C-alpha cells in the first residue's frame, strides 16, 4: 500500500497535463502513486496520461460526471494513508510534498496531529496576481478564516484519508472544496496552511472559478449554506449566513444586510480577540476586507421605494 496517493481528476486538459504530471512525479516521495481519472475528456488527455512510462501513474477513464464524483471515485480506488490533490493545469513547486508530509506527521503544540495541510500558491497566466507574502494560518485559527472566505487553493491539499472519510468526502455542490473544509472544521479536524508556496497555479479565462455564474451558484447554494451555518454556530455561538449569500439576498434591502453583517462582525471580533495577537490582527484585517467588499456591492444596489 502506498503511503500517499495524489488524486488528479482531468477533463480535456491535454495541453497542460503533461507538465502537471511531470512536476508531480519529480517531487513526490518514492512510496506514492498518482491516480488519474479522465472524466469524459473531449481530447487526448487519457493518451497523455498513459504516455508516462512509470508504474506509479495509474490512469482510469469514465464518462463525464463532474469533479466531486471524480474525486470520490479516486478516493474509493486508492487505499493510501495520506491523500493529496493536484490539478491538470498546475505545476508542483519542488519540496511541496516533503514539507506537507513532515507537517502531517509532526505533533502540534498541544500534542494533537494535523488532519489536513495546505500551502500558499504563486499564480501565473492571465490575470495572475503578484507573488504573495508568505502567510501561515495556524490550526487554531483556520476555522475562523473559513467564516470569511476560502483561504486555500484546492490542489494544494494533503490530508489524512481518515479525516476525509469521517467528514463524508466530497458533495455535488458548486464549491466542493470549500464545502468539505467547512465540514472538516465542524468535525474537529485540525487544518493548517503552510507559509511557503507549494504550487504554481495557472490562471486562465476558461477555468470554472473564473465564471460569474459559478460564483453566484456557490453563494446561493443551500447545502453549503447549511455547512457554513453549522460552523458559525460552533465557533461564534450563533448560526450565520455567508457574507456572499447575504450580498445576493433579494429579500433584504441594503440597510437590512448591513444590520445582519454588523451582528455577525460583532460576534466574530469578540471570538477573534481570544486568539493570539498576530492571528487576531490577521482575522480583523480580513473581516475589514470582506466588509468593504460587501459595502461595494450594496452601494450599487438601487434604492427601494418605501411607499
Amino acid at each position: 500500500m502506498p503511503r500517499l496517493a495524489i488524486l488528479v481528476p482531468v477533463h480535456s486538459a491535454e495541453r497542460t497535463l503533461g507538465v502537471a504530471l511531470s512536476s508531480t512525479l519529480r517531487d513526490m516521495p518514492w512510496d506514492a502513486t498518482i491516480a488519474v481519472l479522465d472524466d469524459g475528456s473531449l481530447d487526448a488527455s487519457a493518451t497523455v496520461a498513459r504516455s508516462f512510462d512509470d508504474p506509479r501513474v495509474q490512469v482510469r477513464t469514465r464518462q463525464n460526471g463532474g469533479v466531486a464524483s471524480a474525486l470520490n471515485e479516486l478516493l474509493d480506488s486508492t487505499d493510501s494513508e495520506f491523500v493529496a490533490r493536484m490539478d491538470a493545469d498546475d505545476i508542483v513547486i519542488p519540496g511541496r510534498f516533503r514539507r506537507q508530509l513532515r507537517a502531517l506527521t509532526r505533533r502540534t503544540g498541544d500534542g494533537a496531529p494535523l488532519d489536513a495541510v495546505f500551502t500558499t500558491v504563486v499564480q501565473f497566466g492571465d490575470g495572475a496576481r503578484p507573488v504573495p507574502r508568505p502567510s501561515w494560518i495556524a490550526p487554531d485559527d483556520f476555522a475562523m478564516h473559513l467564516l470569511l472566505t476560502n483561504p486555500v487553493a484546492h490542489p494544494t491539499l494533503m490530508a489524512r484519508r481518515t479525516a476525509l472519510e469521517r467528514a463524508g468526502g466530497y458533495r455535488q455542490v458548486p464549491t466542493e472544496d470549500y464545502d468539505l473544509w467547512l465540514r472538516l472544521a465542524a468535525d474537529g479536524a485540525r487544518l493548517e496552511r503552510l507559509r511557503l508556496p507549494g504550487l504554481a497555479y495557472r490562471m486562465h479565462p476558461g477555468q470554472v472559478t473564473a465564471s460569474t455564474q459559478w460564483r453566484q451558484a456557490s453563494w446561493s447554494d443551500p447545502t453549503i449554506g447549511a455547512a457554513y451555518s453549522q460552523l458559525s454556530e460552533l465557533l461564534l455561538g450563533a448560526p450565520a449566513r455567508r457574507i456572499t449569500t447575504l450580498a445576493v439576498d433579494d429579500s433584504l434591502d441594503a440597510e437590512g444586510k448591513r444590520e445582519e453583517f454588523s451582528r455577525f462582525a460583532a460576534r466574530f471580533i469578540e471570538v477573534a480577540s481570544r486568539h493570539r495577537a498576530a492571528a487576531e490582527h490577521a482575522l480583523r484585517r480580513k473581516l475589514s476586507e470582506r466588509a468593504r467588499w460587501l459595502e461595494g456591492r450594496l452601494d450599487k444596489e438601487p434604492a427601494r421605494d418605501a411607499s
Side-chain angles (χ1 to χ4, degrees), residues 253 303-307:
D253 61 14
R304 296 194 181 184
D305 187 353
S307 62

Side-chain angles (χ1 to χ4, degrees), residues 1-7 27-35 56 58 75 78-85 96-107 113-115 157-162 164:
M1 180 180 78
R3 191 185 192 198
L4 171 67
I6 302 163
L7 312 183
D27 191 62
M28 72 188 206
W30 66 269
D31 53 349
T33 59
I34 302 176
R56 297 175 297 171
Q58 303 165 0
L75 283 170
T78 55
D79 60 357
S80 57
E81 179 183 3
F82 301 109
V83 174
R85 276 281 286 110
R96 169 196 167 179
F97 297 120
R98 183 182 68 253
R99 292 195 302 272
Q100 289 185 285
L101 278 170
R102 187 165 57 232
L104 277 172
T105 53
R106 76 172 190 267
R107 293 284 173 173
L114 293 171
D115 294 291
L157 167 72
M158 183 183 289
R160 296 181 186 277
R161 177 182 297 274
T162 52
L164 301 184

Side-chain angles (χ1 to χ4, degrees), residues 50-292:
R50 290 194 175 105
S51 70
F52 284 82
D53 185 21
D54 193 314
R56 297 175 297 171
V57 181
Q58 303 165 0
V59 184
R60 302 160 61 91
T61 62
R62 69 168 198 178
Q63 292 184 340
N64 182 253
V67 66
S69 66
L71 286 167
N72 284 331
E73 184 171 326
L74 286 167
L75 283 170
D76 290 342
S77 68
T78 55
D79 60 357
S80 57
E81 179 183 3
F82 301 109
V83 174
R85 276 281 286 110
M86 181 60 185
D87 274 349
D89 54 357
D90 297 328
I91 301 172
V92 172
I93 294 175
R96 169 196 167 179
F97 297 120
R98 183 182 68 253
R99 292 195 302 272
Q100 289 185 285
L101 278 170
R102 187 165 57 232
L104 277 172
T105 53
R106 76 172 190 267
R107 293 284 173 173
T108 55
D110 60 3
L114 293 171
D115 294 291
V117 176
F118 305 84
T119 74
T120 55
V121 302
V122 293
Q123 296 181 353
F124 70 104
D126 296 337
R129 293 193 293 265
V131 176
R133 176 175 54 85
S135 178
W136 174 52
I137 299 180
D140 291 340
D141 311 319
F142 198 101
M144 289 288 285
H145 279 271
L146 287 172
L147 293 182
L148 301 176
T149 186
N150 183 1
V152 291
H154 192 180
T156 70
L157 167 72
M158 183 183 289
R160 296 181 186 277
R161 177 182 297 274
T162 52
L164 301 184
E165 292 175 344
R166 193 169 59 242
Y170 290 92
R171 299 194 292 192
Q172 292 278 15
V173 293
T175 46
E176 75 287 334
D177 53 345
Y178 182 55
D179 173 65
L180 179 56
W181 314 157
L182 291 169
R183 288 181 286 120
L184 282 167
D187 189 53
R190 295 180 61 77
L191 316 175
E192 179 179 7
R193 188 179 75 184
L194 304 180
R195 286 186 176 89
L196 296 179
L199 191 78
Y201 186 86
R202 188 187 302 269
M203 302 291 293
H204 58 88
Q207 60 195 149
V208 173
T209 52
S211 163
T212 300
Q213 182 179 6
W214 173 85
R215 288 196 299 270
Q216 292 278 355
S218 170
W219 296 351
S220 303
D221 188 272
T223 301
I224 303 173
Y228 179 95
S229 184
Q230 180 183 4
L231 183 60
S232 174
E233 188 162 12
L234 181 68
L235 297 178
L236 308 184
R241 291 193 293 171
R242 296 173 65 186
I243 299 167
T244 49
T245 303
L246 178 62
V248 296
D249 181 3
D250 292 334
S251 70
L252 285 178
D253 61 14
E255 194 54 38
K257 293 177 183 180
R258 289 186 179 99
E259 290 176 2
E260 184 172 331
F261 177 78
S262 179
R263 290 193 295 271
F264 165 81
R267 290 192 296 269
F268 188 91
I269 289 170
E270 195 278 325
V271 174
S273 68
R274 305 171 199 164
H275 289 244
R276 297 172 298 108
E280 178 189 2
H281 177 74
L283 288 167
R284 292 183 69 129
R285 182 179 68 245
K286 179 57 69 174
L287 177 66
S288 295
E289 291 175 4
R290 302 305 288 153
R292 289 193 296 272

